[in-house]
Amino acid sequence: MYYWTIVGAVLLAAAIGWAALNNRQSRRGYKRTEEATRDLYQEQDRADKAGETSRDG
């Protein structure tokens, strides 16, 4: 009977560890996305100040 308690605890620890590692990778992607967005806004701001607004459509 105690066997299942130990197995359950080990599986729970493995699942928490896996989630923590995947969350770490997500933060890297989030940082890259934020930098790309900031660059895009700066580029658009330069174009607006130069009078070269580009609009799709």
Side-chain angles (χ1 to χ4, degrees):
M1 289 293 178
Y2 294 111
Y3 172 76
W4 292 111
T5 303
I6 294 170
V7 170
V10 169
L11 288 176
L12 180 61
I16 291 172
W18 178 83
L21 289 175
N22 281 338
N23 192 26
R24 208 174 284 161
Q25 292 174 351
S26 296
R27 279 188 233 140
R28 277 187 243 133
Y30 177 78
K31 183 177 178 182
R32 183 178 39 173
T33 301
E34 287 295 314
E35 290 173 357
T37 302
R38 185 173 33 255
D39 291 345
L40 182 63
Y41 285 166
Q42 288 174 350
E43 180 182 330
Q44 183 63 45
D45 189 47
R46 284 192 296 269
D48 288 344
K49 288 179 180 176
E52 302 173 359
T53 57
S54 63
R55 297 176 192 234
D56 294 336

